[in-house]
Amino acid sequence: MKRGAAFGAVALAAFSLTPGTAFAQATSDASEGPRTRIVGGTPAEQGEFPFMVRLSMGCGGALYAQDIVLTAAHCVDGSGPNTDIGVTGGVVDLDDPAAQKATSTEVLQAPGYDGTGKDWALIKLDKPIDQPTLKIADTDAYDNGEFDIAGWGADREGGSQQQKLLKAKVPFIDDATCKAAGGSYSGLVDAEEICAGVEAGGVDSCQGDSGGPMFRKDDAGEFVQVGIVSWGEGCARAGKPGVYTQVSHFAQDIKSAADQLGS
């Protein structure tokens, strides 16, 4: 049910046509698999979301620091030294020759991650990507309203991952309404996950968008990350919202982990 490309099964380049989704865990079933691209989105402008990065295994992420990426735990394979993940940033078109490239040196997956909740991880890079970073929400004050999502994932359920970044807006959905969607949603981890989506469907993150940020403007008019694309049933189905890691709940853990990677 996770929305990233299957780790270990498909090692994707920065741009790949291999299908995936972001509402769900890595699986061959496109209706319940890692999510690839934004459904119902529009093209993002160059420089509009400069903190966005693409990971070579087919997930997204955001620059927590210029040399640290915040992504989903299900996109990586545990913690420790890792030089296998390629990172592309600074562009909306993954084929743009101006793209900045870096490689992982270490991964820190959320302690205790077992596939339910705690879906966050940090990736340390061998060199900085010279782009603005995305601050994380450290209170739940911004865990409401309308959110922005962006990614290179599939633009339809079962579709192909994209070369160019897409963006969309999705409204907050409260936990009770999200759980009422039934199925996997009944197991929503209230304190650790946040839901967003259009009730009628048609707009959503999808396979390959896993690990990418859900964000909004704060009171100062600056973007703040409130979620991480995690899972969902299918892509953009009516009554089946996207589920995101609730960043504010893990803010202190993420900051401590980043300090550990930076030391």
Side-chain angles (χ1 to χ4, degrees):
M1 294 171 56
K2 299 295 182 190
R3 291 188 169 174
F7 180 87
V10 183
L12 298 177
F15 168 57
S16 167
L17 295 179
T18 303
T21 71
F23 256 24
Q25 190 173 21
T27 164
S28 59
D29 184 349
S31 68
E32 292 193 359
R35 295 204 161 176
T36 344
R37 160 182 173 180
I38 300 298
V39 179
T42 57
E45 298 294 328
Q46 178 62 36
E48 188 173 5
F49 309 122
F51 42 77
M52 292 291 304
V53 297
R54 183 66 171 165
L55 306 180
S56 59
M57 81 288 282
C59 284
L63 291 173
Y64 175 87
Q66 289 188 327
D67 62 348
I68 297 177
V69 172
L70 176 60
T71 187
H74 75 263
C75 288
V76 301
D77 188 21
S79 299
N82 184 316
T83 58
D84 296 331
I85 303 171
V87 180
T88 302
V91 295
V92 295
D93 184 339
L94 295 174
D95 277 352
D96 190 329
Q100 298 182 43
K101 305 281 189 175
T103 303
S104 62
T105 61
E106 186 176 355
V107 171
L108 200 161
Q109 189 181 59
Y113 174 71
D114 62 1
T116 301
K118 299 180 179 63
D119 197 6
W120 64 268
L122 294 174
I123 301 171
K124 177 73 171 178
L125 307 181
D126 64 344
K127 60 184 177 181
I129 290 179
D130 187 17
Q131 293 292 323
T133 59
L134 179 61
K135 63 183 178 181
I136 63 173
D138 54 12
T139 76
D140 62 5
Y142 302 110
D143 294 350
N144 57 73
E146 187 175 59
F147 307 118
D148 291 286
I149 51 175
W152 288 273
D155 60 352
R156 61 183 175 82
E157 186 171 319
S160 298
Q161 298 195 29
Q162 303 300 305
Q163 176 181 329
K164 297 181 179 179
L165 185 69
L166 293 183
K167 63 178 181 178
K169 290 185 178 292
V170 287
F172 168 75
I173 293 176
D174 65 78
D175 290 348
T177 302
C178 193
K179 286 185 173 182
S184 299
Y185 295 93
S186 60
L188 184 79
V189 184
D190 294 27
E192 300 182 3
E193 297 176 319
I194 181 172
C195 299
V198 176
E199 176 61 28
V203 181
D204 195 9
S205 52
C206 196
Q207 295 150 338
D209 287 323
S210 277
M214 181 171 74
F215 50 99
R216 53 160 288 179
K217 293 286 185 67
D218 64 12
D219 293 339
E222 299 179 351
F223 283 127
V224 59
Q225 183 172 357
V226 299
I228 300 170
V229 179
S230 185
W231 64 275
E233 292 184 5
C235 298
R237 296 181 184 180
K240 300 294 183 180
V243 180
Y244 301 77
T245 304
Q246 193 160 354
V247 170
S248 61
H249 180 80
F250 297 104
Q252 293 307 314
D253 292 335
I254 292 170
K255 290 178 180 179
S256 295
D259 288 343
Q260 180 179 330
L261 285 178
S263 60

